[in-house]
Amino acid sequence: MDRKELFEKKPKIKINGKVSSCPTSAAMELIGGKWKSVILIHLADDKKRYNELRKEIEGITERTLSLQLKQLEADGLVTRKVFSKKPPLKVVYALTEFGQSLVPILQSIRDWGLFAAETKGEFLLED
């Protein structure tokens, strides 16, 4: 059965124990919320260490970043690789193949965010 036929049959979708009646809701179960897509777009080009992400993502707390990375890892979107056995640990995060499948979507969201700023808002440049 192709996706069109599947969509027409309107099956329920179960992800992480939560049942959704819409594919969009199912997708948002994995990438929804304020920070997940932001973290993912920062990993789109290359792997990054925790501190790199923390410095690049303005406004996110250490606790939130840590929790969101754990959830993204549990959902199979991000890998966490530890390179040393004693402190300070070198931990690197990267997108999985499943996570990479989101990159074109995340880039479209970013581009739409720029369009929204041009259309409905403004750009604030720091001196």
Side-chain angles (χ1 to χ4, degrees), residues 76-108:
L77 295 164
V78 169
T79 60
R80 177 182 186 267
K81 190 167 184 180
V82 180
F83 287 94
S84 58
K85 294 182 180 175
K86 55 187 176 183
L89 295 178
K90 180 180 178 185
V91 179
V92 174
Y93 294 92
L95 294 181
T96 62
E97 187 176 330
F98 184 50
Q100 284 286 340
S101 70
L102 277 166
V103 171
I105 296 160
L106 295 168
Q107 289 170 334
S108 291

Side-chain angles (χ1 to χ4, degrees), residues 7 11 13 15 20-29:
F7 189 70
I13 300 166
I15 296 179
S20 303
S21 59
C22 169
T24 303
S25 295
M28 295 311 290
E29 178 65 27

Side-chain angles (χ1 to χ4, degrees), residues 41-59:
I41 195 72
H42 280 271
L43 291 171
D45 293 328
D46 200 9
K47 59 189 176 215
K48 299 223 167 104
R49 294 184 69 175
Y50 176 87
N51 278 334
E52 289 178 282
L53 288 168
R54 192 172 53 81
K55 289 174 185 172
E56 286 180 13
I57 304 172
E58 191 174 316

